[in-house]
PDB file of all heavy atoms in Angstrom:
ATOM      1  N   VAL A 253      29.793  25.736  12.761  1.00  0.00           N
ATOM      2  CA  VAL A 253      30.641  24.916  13.623  1.00  0.00           C
ATOM      3  C   VAL A 253      31.911  24.485  12.904  1.00  0.00           C
ATOM      4  O   VAL A 253      33.029  24.613  13.430  1.00  0.00           O
ATOM      5  CB  VAL A 253      29.857  23.676  14.117  1.00  0.00           C
ATOM      6  CG1 VAL A 253      30.797  22.605  14.653  1.00  0.00           C
ATOM      7  CG2 VAL A 253      28.832  24.063  15.180  1.00  0.00           C
ATOM      8  N   LEU A 254      31.775  23.997  11.691  1.00  0.00           N
ATOM      9  CA  LEU A 254      32.951  23.536  10.938  1.00  0.00           C
ATOM     10  C   LEU A 254      33.858  24.684  10.576  1.00  0.00           C
ATOM     11  O   LEU A 254      35.094  24.565  10.629  1.00  0.00           O
ATOM     12  CB  LEU A 254      32.521  22.770   9.698  1.00  0.00           C
ATOM     13  CG  LEU A 254      31.976  21.363   9.934  1.00  0.00           C
ATOM     14  CD1 LEU A 254      31.511  20.751   8.649  1.00  0.00           C
ATOM     15  CD2 LEU A 254      33.044  20.479  10.592  1.00  0.00           C
ATOM     16  N   GLY A 255      33.264  25.828  10.203  1.00  0.00           N
ATOM     17  CA  GLY A 255      34.080  26.990   9.888  1.00  0.00           C
ATOM     18  C   GLY A 255      34.893  27.464  11.078  1.00  0.00           C
ATOM     19  O   GLY A 255      36.094  27.756  10.972  1.00  0.00           O
ATOM     20  N   ALA A 256      34.271  27.510  12.245  1.00  0.00           N
ATOM     21  CA  ALA A 256      34.962  27.915  13.461  1.00  0.00           C
ATOM     22  C   ALA A 256      36.060  26.923  13.853  1.00  0.00           C
ATOM     23  O   ALA A 256      37.153  27.308  14.277  1.00  0.00           O
ATOM     24  CB  ALA A 256      33.969  28.073  14.619  1.00  0.00           C
ATOM     25  N   ALA A 257      35.773  25.626  13.687  1.00  0.00           N
ATOM     26  CA  ALA A 257      36.771  24.612  14.021  1.00  0.00           C
ATOM     27  C   ALA A 257      37.962  24.679  13.083  1.00  0.00           C
ATOM     28  O   ALA A 257      39.117  24.550  13.500  1.00  0.00           O
ATOM     29  CB  ALA A 257      36.122  23.229  13.984  1.00  0.00           C
ATOM     30  N   CYS A 258      37.695  24.862  11.786  1.00  0.00           N
ATOM     31  CA  CYS A 258      38.789  24.988  10.803  1.00  0.00           C
ATOM     32  C   CYS A 258      39.649  26.209  11.098  1.00  0.00           C
ATOM     33  O   CYS A 258      40.871  26.167  10.988  1.00  0.00           O
ATOM     34  CB  CYS A 258      38.234  25.057   9.384  1.00  0.00           C
ATOM     35  SG  CYS A 258      37.563  23.504   8.750  1.00  0.00           S
ATOM     36  N   ASP A 259      39.002  27.320  11.489  1.00  0.00           N
ATOM     37  CA  ASP A 259      39.753  28.516  11.834  1.00  0.00           C
ATOM     38  C   ASP A 259      40.607  28.292  13.078  1.00  0.00           C
ATOM     39  O   ASP A 259      41.729  28.833  13.185  1.00  0.00           O
ATOM     40  CB  ASP A 259      38.797  29.686  12.086  1.00  0.00           C
ATOM     41  CG  ASP A 259      38.149  30.195  10.817  1.00  0.00           C
ATOM     42  OD1 ASP A 259      38.659  29.885   9.719  1.00  0.00           O
ATOM     43  OD2 ASP A 259      37.110  30.902  10.905  1.00  0.00           O
ATOM     44  N   ALA A 260      40.087  27.524  14.046  1.00  0.00           N
ATOM     45  CA  ALA A 260      40.817  27.303  15.295  1.00  0.00           C
ATOM     46  C   ALA A 260      41.928  26.280  15.150  1.00  0.00           C
ATOM     47  O   ALA A 260      42.892  26.289  15.917  1.00  0.00           O
ATOM     48  CB  ALA A 260      39.827  26.835  16.377  1.00  0.00           C
ATOM     49  N   ALA A 261      41.804  25.382  14.165  1.00  0.00           N
ATOM     50  CA  ALA A 261      42.836  24.347  13.959  1.00  0.00           C
ATOM     51  C   ALA A 261      44.089  24.966  13.365  1.00  0.00           C
ATOM     52  O   ALA A 261      44.045  26.062  12.783  1.00  0.00           O
ATOM     53  CB  ALA A 261      42.285  23.272  13.045  1.00  0.00           C
ATOM     54  N   SER A 262      45.185  24.281  13.498  1.00  0.00           N
ATOM     55  CA  SER A 262      46.466  24.775  12.975  1.00  0.00           C
ATOM     56  C   SER A 262      46.927  24.014  11.745  1.00  0.00           C
ATOM     57  O   SER A 262      47.820  24.482  11.058  1.00  0.00           O
ATOM     58  CB  SER A 262      47.545  24.687  14.077  1.00  0.00           C
ATOM     59  OG  SER A 262      47.693  23.370  14.534  1.00  0.00           O
ATOM     60  N   SER A 263      46.335  22.870  11.446  1.00  0.00           N
ATOM     61  CA  SER A 263      46.787  22.046  10.325  1.00  0.00           C
ATOM     62  C   SER A 263      46.422  22.685   8.975  1.00  0.00           C
ATOM     63  O   SER A 263      45.330  23.238   8.810  1.00  0.00           O
ATOM     64  CB  SER A 263      46.160  20.660  10.407  1.00  0.00           C
ATOM     65  OG  SER A 263      46.582  19.998  11.574  1.00  0.00           O
ATOM     66  N   ASP A 264      47.323  22.579   8.012  1.00  0.00           N
ATOM     67  CA  ASP A 264      47.104  23.180   6.696  1.00  0.00           C
ATOM     68  C   ASP A 264      45.997  22.484   5.906  1.00  0.00           C
ATOM     69  O   ASP A 264      45.341  23.111   5.088  1.00  0.00           O
ATOM     70  CB  ASP A 264      48.400  23.151   5.892  1.00  0.00           C
ATOM     71  CG  ASP A 264      49.455  24.082   6.438  1.00  0.00           C
ATOM     72  OD1 ASP A 264      49.075  25.032   7.140  1.00  0.00           O
ATOM     73  OD2 ASP A 264      50.644  23.866   6.160  1.00  0.00           O
ATOM     74  N   TRP A 265      45.780  21.192   6.135  1.00  0.00           N
ATOM     75  CA  TRP A 265      44.867  20.432   5.269  1.00  0.00           C
ATOM     76  C   TRP A 265      43.430  20.915   5.377  1.00  0.00           C
ATOM     77  O   TRP A 265      42.634  20.709   4.458  1.00  0.00           O
ATOM     78  CB  TRP A 265      44.960  18.940   5.589  1.00  0.00           C
ATOM     79  CG  TRP A 265      44.166  18.493   6.787  1.00  0.00           C
ATOM     80  CD1 TRP A 265      44.555  18.544   8.104  1.00  0.00           C
ATOM     81  CD2 TRP A 265      42.859  17.910   6.805  1.00  0.00           C
ATOM     82  NE1 TRP A 265      43.565  18.057   8.925  1.00  0.00           N
ATOM     83  CE2 TRP A 265      42.536  17.638   8.148  1.00  0.00           C
ATOM     84  CE3 TRP A 265      41.932  17.574   5.813  1.00  0.00           C
ATOM     85  CZ2 TRP A 265      41.317  17.066   8.516  1.00  0.00           C
ATOM     86  CZ3 TRP A 265      40.713  17.009   6.183  1.00  0.00           C
ATOM     87  CH2 TRP A 265      40.429  16.744   7.519  1.00  0.00           C
ATOM     88  N   CYS A 266      43.086  21.594   6.474  1.00  0.00           N
ATOM     89  CA  CYS A 266      41.692  22.039   6.665  1.00  0.00           C
ATOM     90  C   CYS A 266      41.551  23.551   6.582  1.00  0.00           C
ATOM     91  O   CYS A 266      40.564  24.106   7.050  1.00  0.00           O
ATOM     92  CB  CYS A 266      41.168  21.541   8.028  1.00  0.00           C
ATOM     93  SG  CYS A 266      42.136  22.122   9.452  1.00  0.00           S
ATOM     94  N   LYS A 267      42.484  24.236   5.953  1.00  0.00           N
ATOM     95  CA  LYS A 267      42.435  25.687   5.870  1.00  0.00           C
ATOM     96  C   LYS A 267      41.842  26.171   4.548  1.00  0.00           C
ATOM     97  O   LYS A 267      42.032  25.578   3.498  1.00  0.00           O
ATOM     98  CB  LYS A 267      43.849  26.272   6.028  1.00  0.00           C
ATOM     99  CG  LYS A 267      44.414  26.113   7.425  1.00  0.00           C
ATOM    100  CD  LYS A 267      43.543  26.833   8.457  1.00  0.00           C
ATOM    101  CE  LYS A 267      44.122  26.793   9.847  1.00  0.00           C
ATOM    102  NZ  LYS A 267      43.261  27.448  10.847  1.00  0.00           N
ATOM    103  N   GLY A 268      41.130  27.294   4.617  1.00  0.00           N
ATOM    104  CA  GLY A 268      40.572  27.950   3.432  1.00  0.00           C
ATOM    105  C   GLY A 268      39.403  27.193   2.827  1.00  0.00           C
ATOM    106  O   GLY A 268      38.896  26.219   3.380  1.00  0.00           O
ATOM    107  N   ASP A 269      38.976  27.659   1.638  1.00  0.00           N
ATOM    108  CA  ASP A 269      37.849  27.025   0.966  1.00  0.00           C
ATOM    109  C   ASP A 269      38.144  25.567   0.643  1.00  0.00           C
ATOM    110  O   ASP A 269      37.277  24.704   0.795  1.00  0.00           O
ATOM    111  CB  ASP A 269      37.530  27.786  -0.327  1.00  0.00           C
ATOM    112  CG  ASP A 269      37.003  29.190  -0.072  1.00  0.00           C
ATOM    113  OD1 ASP A 269      36.690  29.502   1.096  1.00  0.00           O
ATOM    114  OD2 ASP A 269      36.918  29.977  -1.036  1.00  0.00           O
ATOM    115  N   ALA A 270      39.355  25.297   0.172  1.00  0.00           N
ATOM    116  CA  ALA A 270      39.746  23.923  -0.142  1.00  0.00           C
ATOM    117  C   ALA A 270      39.743  23.066   1.111  1.00  0.00           C
ATOM    118  O   ALA A 270      39.374  21.882   1.050  1.00  0.00           O
ATOM    119  CB  ALA A 270      41.131  23.917  -0.804  1.00  0.00           C
ATOM    120  N   GLY A 271      40.139  23.637   2.235  1.00  0.00           N
ATOM    121  CA  GLY A 271      40.164  22.889   3.481  1.00  0.00           C
ATOM    122  C   GLY A 271      38.772  22.464   3.927  1.00  0.00           C
ATOM    123  O   GLY A 271      38.563  21.339   4.388  1.00  0.00           O
ATOM    124  N   LEU A 272      37.803  23.363   3.766  1.00  0.00           N
ATOM    125  CA  LEU A 272      36.431  23.038   4.139  1.00  0.00           C
ATOM    126  C   LEU A 272      35.902  21.892   3.273  1.00  0.00           C
ATOM    127  O   LEU A 272      35.213  20.993   3.760  1.00  0.00           O
ATOM    128  CB  LEU A 272      35.533  24.257   3.979  1.00  0.00           C
ATOM    129  CG  LEU A 272      34.050  24.040   4.366  1.00  0.00           C
ATOM    130  CD1 LEU A 272      33.921  23.649   5.828  1.00  0.00           C
ATOM    131  CD2 LEU A 272      33.236  25.291   4.082  1.00  0.00           C
ATOM    132  N   ARG A 273      36.254  21.898   1.982  1.00  0.00           N
ATOM    133  CA  ARG A 273      35.844  20.812   1.111  1.00  0.00           C
ATOM    134  C   ARG A 273      36.459  19.487   1.536  1.00  0.00           C
ATOM    135  O   ARG A 273      35.823  18.437   1.451  1.00  0.00           O
ATOM    136  CB  ARG A 273      36.241  21.108  -0.346  1.00  0.00           C
ATOM    137  CG  ARG A 273      35.617  22.329  -0.975  1.00  0.00           C
ATOM    138  CD  ARG A 273      34.204  22.076  -1.499  1.00  0.00           C
ATOM    139  NE  ARG A 273      33.217  21.954  -0.445  1.00  0.00           N
ATOM    140  CZ  ARG A 273      32.627  23.004   0.167  1.00  0.00           C
ATOM    141  NH1 ARG A 273      32.981  24.234  -0.164  1.00  0.00           N
ATOM    142  NH2 ARG A 273      31.730  22.810   1.101  1.00  0.00           N
ATOM    143  N   ARG A 274      37.695  19.506   1.996  1.00  0.00           N
ATOM    144  CA  ARG A 274      38.369  18.263   2.461  1.00  0.00           C
ATOM    145  C   ARG A 274      37.684  17.757   3.729  1.00  0.00           C
ATOM    146  O   ARG A 274      37.485  16.549   3.871  1.00  0.00           O
ATOM    147  CB  ARG A 274      39.846  18.518   2.713  1.00  0.00           C
ATOM    148  CG  ARG A 274      40.631  18.909   1.460  1.00  0.00           C
ATOM    149  CD  ARG A 274      42.134  18.974   1.739  1.00  0.00           C
ATOM    150  NE  ARG A 274      42.851  19.617   0.668  1.00  0.00           N
ATOM    151  CZ  ARG A 274      43.365  20.821   0.718  1.00  0.00           C
ATOM    152  NH1 ARG A 274      43.261  21.545   1.851  1.00  0.00           N
ATOM    153  NH2 ARG A 274      43.988  21.352  -0.297  1.00  0.00           N
ATOM    154  N   VAL A 275      37.360  18.661   4.636  1.00  0.00           N
ATOM    155  CA  VAL A 275      36.685  18.248   5.886  1.00  0.00           C
ATOM    156  C   VAL A 275      35.311  17.680   5.537  1.00  0.00           C
ATOM    157  O   VAL A 275      34.876  16.672   6.119  1.00  0.00           O
ATOM    158  CB  VAL A 275      36.570  19.428   6.853  1.00  0.00           C
ATOM    159  CG1 VAL A 275      35.769  19.040   8.077  1.00  0.00           C
ATOM    160  CG2 VAL A 275      37.954  19.900   7.255  1.00  0.00           C
ATOM    161  N   GLU A 276      34.625  18.301   4.620  1.00  0.00           N
ATOM    162  CA  GLU A 276      33.339  17.807   4.136  1.00  0.00           C
ATOM    163  C   GLU A 276      33.481  16.383   3.608  1.00  0.00           C
ATOM    164  O   GLU A 276      32.641  15.512   3.876  1.00  0.00           O
ATOM    165  CB  GLU A 276      32.840  18.737   3.046  1.00  0.00           C
ATOM    166  CG  GLU A 276      31.491  18.456   2.465  1.00  0.00           C
ATOM    167  CD  GLU A 276      31.178  19.469   1.383  1.00  0.00           C
ATOM    168  OE1 GLU A 276      31.545  19.230   0.200  1.00  0.00           O
ATOM    169  OE2 GLU A 276      30.583  20.525   1.694  1.00  0.00           O
ATOM    170  N   ALA A 277      34.558  16.132   2.855  1.00  0.00           N
ATOM    171  CA  ALA A 277      34.803  14.801   2.310  1.00  0.00           C
ATOM    172  C   ALA A 277      35.091  13.796   3.412  1.00  0.00           C
ATOM    173  O   ALA A 277      34.691  12.632   3.359  1.00  0.00           O
ATOM    174  CB  ALA A 277      35.968  14.838   1.308  1.00  0.00           C
ATOM    175  N   ALA A 278      35.810  14.241   4.447  1.00  0.00           N
ATOM    176  CA  ALA A 278      36.107  13.363   5.583  1.00  0.00           C
ATOM    177  C   ALA A 278      34.792  12.963   6.287  1.00  0.00           C
ATOM    178  O   ALA A 278      34.577  11.793   6.644  1.00  0.00           O
ATOM    179  CB  ALA A 278      37.027  14.076   6.578  1.00  0.00           C
ATOM    180  N   LEU A 279      33.880  13.923   6.483  1.00  0.00           N
ATOM    181  CA  LEU A 279      32.604  13.629   7.116  1.00  0.00           C
ATOM    182  C   LEU A 279      31.785  12.674   6.230  1.00  0.00           C
ATOM    183  O   LEU A 279      31.086  11.783   6.739  1.00  0.00           O
ATOM    184  CB  LEU A 279      31.833  14.921   7.356  1.00  0.00           C
ATOM    185  CG  LEU A 279      32.419  15.885   8.386  1.00  0.00           C
ATOM    186  CD1 LEU A 279      31.608  17.177   8.428  1.00  0.00           C
ATOM    187  CD2 LEU A 279      32.493  15.257   9.766  1.00  0.00           C
ATOM    188  N   PHE A 280      31.875  12.870   4.943  1.00  0.00           N
ATOM    189  CA  PHE A 280      31.144  12.009   4.017  1.00  0.00           C
ATOM    190  C   PHE A 280      31.594  10.564   4.179  1.00  0.00           C
ATOM    191  O   PHE A 280      30.758   9.635   4.147  1.00  0.00           O
ATOM    192  CB  PHE A 280      31.390  12.492   2.588  1.00  0.00           C
ATOM    193  CG  PHE A 280      30.577  11.813   1.539  1.00  0.00           C
ATOM    194  CD1 PHE A 280      29.253  12.152   1.317  1.00  0.00           C
ATOM    195  CD2 PHE A 280      31.120  10.789   0.747  1.00  0.00           C
ATOM    196  CE1 PHE A 280      28.489  11.547   0.346  1.00  0.00           C
ATOM    197  CE2 PHE A 280      30.366  10.161  -0.209  1.00  0.00           C
ATOM    198  CZ  PHE A 280      29.064  10.538  -0.423  1.00  0.00           C
ATOM    199  N   MET A 281      32.888  10.345   4.367  1.00  0.00           N
ATOM    200  CA  MET A 281      33.374   8.987   4.569  1.00  0.00           C
ATOM    201  C   MET A 281      32.969   8.436   5.933  1.00  0.00           C
ATOM    202  O   MET A 281      32.555   7.287   6.035  1.00  0.00           O
ATOM    203  CB  MET A 281      34.901   8.969   4.418  1.00  0.00           C
ATOM    204  CG  MET A 281      35.381   9.157   2.970  1.00  0.00           C
ATOM    205  SD  MET A 281      34.680   7.951   1.825  1.00  0.00           S
ATOM    206  CE  MET A 281      35.422   6.430   2.429  1.00  0.00           C
ATOM    207  N   ILE A 282      33.090   9.245   6.953  1.00  0.00           N
ATOM    208  CA  ILE A 282      32.715   8.791   8.303  1.00  0.00           C
ATOM    209  C   ILE A 282      31.226   8.401   8.329  1.00  0.00           C
ATOM    210  O   ILE A 282      30.847   7.413   8.951  1.00  0.00           O
ATOM    211  CB  ILE A 282      33.004   9.886   9.336  1.00  0.00           C
ATOM    212  CG1 ILE A 282      34.522  10.063   9.479  1.00  0.00           C
ATOM    213  CG2 ILE A 282      32.397   9.529  10.690  1.00  0.00           C
ATOM    214  CD1 ILE A 282      34.903  11.268  10.316  1.00  0.00           C
ATOM    215  N   GLY A 283      30.410   9.169   7.638  1.00  0.00           N
ATOM    216  CA  GLY A 283      29.001   8.928   7.619  1.00  0.00           C
ATOM    217  C   GLY A 283      28.559   7.742   6.783  1.00  0.00           C
ATOM    218  O   GLY A 283      27.369   7.392   6.737  1.00  0.00           O
ATOM    219  N   TYR A 284      29.494   7.099   6.089  1.00  0.00           N
ATOM    220  CA  TYR A 284      29.160   5.934   5.252  1.00  0.00           C
ATOM    221  C   TYR A 284      28.488   4.838   6.068  1.00  0.00           C
ATOM    222  O   TYR A 284      27.511   4.227   5.625  1.00  0.00           O
ATOM    223  CB  TYR A 284      30.450   5.421   4.597  1.00  0.00           C
ATOM    224  CG  TYR A 284      30.289   4.175   3.740  1.00  0.00           C
ATOM    225  CD1 TYR A 284      29.809   4.293   2.444  1.00  0.00           C
ATOM    226  CD2 TYR A 284      30.592   2.899   4.224  1.00  0.00           C
ATOM    227  CE1 TYR A 284      29.648   3.156   1.655  1.00  0.00           C
ATOM    228  CE2 TYR A 284      30.437   1.783   3.449  1.00  0.00           C
ATOM    229  CZ  TYR A 284      29.959   1.906   2.150  1.00  0.00           C
ATOM    230  OH  TYR A 284      29.795   0.791   1.375  1.00  0.00           O
ATOM    231  N   ASP A 285      29.019   4.567   7.247  1.00  0.00           N
ATOM    232  CA  ASP A 285      28.467   3.519   8.105  1.00  0.00           C
ATOM    233  C   ASP A 285      28.842   3.866   9.534  1.00  0.00           C
ATOM    234  O   ASP A 285      30.013   3.797   9.911  1.00  0.00           O
ATOM    235  CB  ASP A 285      29.042   2.168   7.703  1.00  0.00           C
ATOM    236  CG  ASP A 285      28.286   1.005   8.316  1.00  0.00           C
ATOM    237  OD1 ASP A 285      27.273   1.244   8.976  1.00  0.00           O
ATOM    238  OD2 ASP A 285      28.742  -0.156   8.127  1.00  0.00           O
ATOM    239  N   ILE A 286      27.876   4.255  10.339  1.00  0.00           N
ATOM    240  CA  ILE A 286      28.128   4.683  11.714  1.00  0.00           C
ATOM    241  C   ILE A 286      28.231   3.476  12.630  1.00  0.00           C
ATOM    242  O   ILE A 286      27.354   2.605  12.634  1.00  0.00           O
ATOM    243  CB  ILE A 286      27.018   5.621  12.218  1.00  0.00           C
ATOM    244  CG1 ILE A 286      26.910   6.861  11.313  1.00  0.00           C
ATOM    245  CG2 ILE A 286      27.263   6.019  13.664  1.00  0.00           C
ATOM    246  CD1 ILE A 286      28.152   7.713  11.280  1.00  0.00           C
ATOM    247  N   PRO A 287      29.305   3.358  13.428  1.00  0.00           N
ATOM    248  CA  PRO A 287      29.438   2.239  14.359  1.00  0.00           C
ATOM    249  C   PRO A 287      28.237   2.198  15.311  1.00  0.00           C
ATOM    250  O   PRO A 287      27.753   3.234  15.758  1.00  0.00           O
ATOM    251  CB  PRO A 287      30.730   2.541  15.108  1.00  0.00           C
ATOM    252  CG  PRO A 287      31.495   3.431  14.188  1.00  0.00           C
ATOM    253  CD  PRO A 287      30.472   4.256  13.469  1.00  0.00           C
ATOM    254  N   LEU A 288      27.773   1.004  15.597  1.00  0.00           N
ATOM    255  CA  LEU A 288      26.674   0.859  16.511  1.00  0.00           C
ATOM    256  C   LEU A 288      27.071   1.354  17.899  1.00  0.00           C
ATOM    257  O   LEU A 288      28.236   1.247  18.290  1.00  0.00           O
ATOM    258  CB  LEU A 288      26.213  -0.593  16.582  1.00  0.00           C
ATOM    259  CG  LEU A 288      25.624  -1.144  15.288  1.00  0.00           C
ATOM    260  CD1 LEU A 288      25.334  -2.638  15.452  1.00  0.00           C
ATOM    261  CD2 LEU A 288      24.376  -0.384  14.894  1.00  0.00           C
ATOM    262  N   ALA A 289      26.103   1.878  18.619  1.00  0.00           N
ATOM    263  CA  ALA A 289      26.369   2.469  19.923  1.00  0.00           C
ATOM    264  C   ALA A 289      26.756   1.400  20.954  1.00  0.00           C
ATOM    265  O   ALA A 289      26.305   0.263  20.899  1.00  0.00           O
ATOM    266  CB  ALA A 289      25.142   3.223  20.409  1.00  0.00           C
ATOM    267  N   LYS A 290      27.598   1.808  21.885  1.00  0.00           N
ATOM    268  CA  LYS A 290      27.966   0.943  23.000  1.00  0.00           C
ATOM    269  C   LYS A 290      26.800   0.925  23.998  1.00  0.00           C
ATOM    270  O   LYS A 290      25.869   1.723  23.919  1.00  0.00           O
ATOM    271  CB  LYS A 290      29.237   1.458  23.675  1.00  0.00           C
ATOM    272  CG  LYS A 290      30.442   1.489  22.766  1.00  0.00           C
ATOM    273  CD  LYS A 290      31.630   2.090  23.500  1.00  0.00           C
ATOM    274  CE  LYS A 290      32.851   2.190  22.580  1.00  0.00           C
ATOM    275  NZ  LYS A 290      34.006   2.834  23.282  1.00  0.00           N
ATOM    276  N   LYS A 291      26.884   0.069  24.967  1.00  0.00           N
ATOM    277  CA  LYS A 291      25.868   0.050  26.025  1.00  0.00           C
ATOM    278  C   LYS A 291      25.892   1.389  26.774  1.00  0.00           C
ATOM    279  O   LYS A 291      26.985   1.938  26.984  1.00  0.00           O
ATOM    280  CB  LYS A 291      26.128  -1.115  26.991  1.00  0.00           C
ATOM    281  CG  LYS A 291      25.912  -2.481  26.383  1.00  0.00           C
ATOM    282  CD  LYS A 291      26.143  -3.585  27.405  1.00  0.00           C
ATOM    283  CE  LYS A 291      25.923  -4.964  26.774  1.00  0.00           C
ATOM    284  NZ  LYS A 291      26.135  -6.041  27.775  1.00  0.00           N
ATOM    285  N   PRO A 292      24.760   1.891  27.167  1.00  0.00           N
ATOM    286  CA  PRO A 292      24.723   3.204  27.831  1.00  0.00           C
ATOM    287  C   PRO A 292      25.440   3.208  29.163  1.00  0.00           C
ATOM    288  O   PRO A 292      25.487   2.191  29.873  1.00  0.00           O
ATOM    289  CB  PRO A 292      23.229   3.460  28.045  1.00  0.00           C
ATOM    290  CG  PRO A 292      22.627   2.097  28.058  1.00  0.00           C
ATOM    291  CD  PRO A 292      23.428   1.281  27.085  1.00  0.00           C
ATOM    292  N   ALA A 293      26.014   4.360  29.470  1.00  0.00           N
ATOM    293  CA  ALA A 293      26.689   4.516  30.767  1.00  0.00           C
ATOM    294  C   ALA A 293      25.644   4.581  31.850  1.00  0.00           C
ATOM    295  O   ALA A 293      24.460   4.809  31.630  1.00  0.00           O
ATOM    296  CB  ALA A 293      27.535   5.776  30.751  1.00  0.00           C
ATOM    297  N   ARG A 294      26.048   4.406  33.096  1.00  0.00           N
ATOM    298  CA  ARG A 294      25.112   4.423  34.229  1.00  0.00           C
ATOM    299  C   ARG A 294      24.486   5.782  34.429  1.00  0.00           C
ATOM    300  O   ARG A 294      23.342   5.914  34.836  1.00  0.00           O
ATOM    301  CB  ARG A 294      25.843   3.993  35.533  1.00  0.00           C
ATOM    302  CG  ARG A 294      26.222   2.518  35.509  1.00  0.00           C
ATOM    303  CD  ARG A 294      26.923   2.162  36.797  1.00  0.00           C
ATOM    304  NE  ARG A 294      27.275   0.755  36.835  1.00  0.00           N
ATOM    305  CZ  ARG A 294      26.475  -0.196  37.279  1.00  0.00           C
ATOM    306  NH1 ARG A 294      25.278   0.117  37.687  1.00  0.00           N
ATOM    307  NH2 ARG A 294      26.876  -1.464  37.314  1.00  0.00           N
ATOM    308  N   SER A 295      25.248   6.833  34.167  1.00  0.00           N
ATOM    309  CA  SER A 295      24.718   8.171  34.411  1.00  0.00           C
ATOM    310  C   SER A 295      25.410   9.164  33.496  1.00  0.00           C
ATOM    311  O   SER A 295      26.415   8.862  32.866  1.00  0.00           O
ATOM    312  CB  SER A 295      24.922   8.599  35.865  1.00  0.00           C
ATOM    313  OG  SER A 295      26.308   8.661  36.175  1.00  0.00           O
ATOM    314  N   GLY A 296      24.847  10.355  33.388  1.00  0.00           N
ATOM    315  CA  GLY A 296      25.459  11.438  32.629  1.00  0.00           C
ATOM    316  C   GLY A 296      25.093  12.747  33.269  1.00  0.00           C
ATOM    317  O   GLY A 296      24.252  12.798  34.159  1.00  0.00           O
ATOM    318  N   ARG A 297      25.732  13.788  32.846  1.00  0.00           N
ATOM    319  CA  ARG A 297      25.401  15.087  33.379  1.00  0.00           C
ATOM    320  C   ARG A 297      25.134  16.034  32.222  1.00  0.00           C
ATOM    321  O   ARG A 297      25.663  15.853  31.123  1.00  0.00           O
ATOM    322  CB  ARG A 297      26.517  15.620  34.297  1.00  0.00           C
ATOM    323  CG  ARG A 297      27.840  15.797  33.558  1.00  0.00           C
ATOM    324  CD  ARG A 297      28.957  16.228  34.554  1.00  0.00           C
ATOM    325  NE  ARG A 297      30.257  16.289  33.962  1.00  0.00           N
ATOM    326  CZ  ARG A 297      30.731  17.337  33.294  1.00  0.00           C
ATOM    327  NH1 ARG A 297      29.981  18.417  33.156  1.00  0.00           N
ATOM    328  NH2 ARG A 297      31.913  17.319  32.769  1.00  0.00           N
ATOM    329  N   SER A 298      24.351  17.035  32.454  1.00  0.00           N
ATOM    330  CA  SER A 298      23.976  17.962  31.393  1.00  0.00           C
ATOM    331  C   SER A 298      25.161  18.838  31.033  1.00  0.00           C
ATOM    332  O   SER A 298      26.031  19.120  31.824  1.00  0.00           O
ATOM    333  CB  SER A 298      22.807  18.833  31.843  1.00  0.00           C
ATOM    334  OG  SER A 298      21.685  18.043  32.124  1.00  0.00           O
TER     335      SER A 298
END
């Protein structure tokens, strides 16, 4: 998934082997503390 997204993106910061490592670092920071979920919506669709 990340490889395909990096290939589809146009920004230089996420390109190549170094780009994948940067995206990995971004995910590492986001995963530090996940915001608590909001109240559920009334409905959803598959």
Side-chain angles (χ1 to χ4, degrees):
V253 164
L254 286 176
C258 287
D259 289 343
S262 58
S263 298
D264 291 338
W265 80 277
C266 59
K267 290 299 184 182
D269 294 349
L272 182 61
R273 298 278 73 82
R274 296 187 193 108
V275 175
E276 183 181 88
L279 294 175
F280 187 80
M281 289 303 295
I282 292 171
Y284 178 81
D285 193 6
I286 301 299
L288 295 176
K290 299 176 182 178
K291 292 182 180 180
R294 290 180 179 273
S295 63
R297 60 185 175 84
S298 299

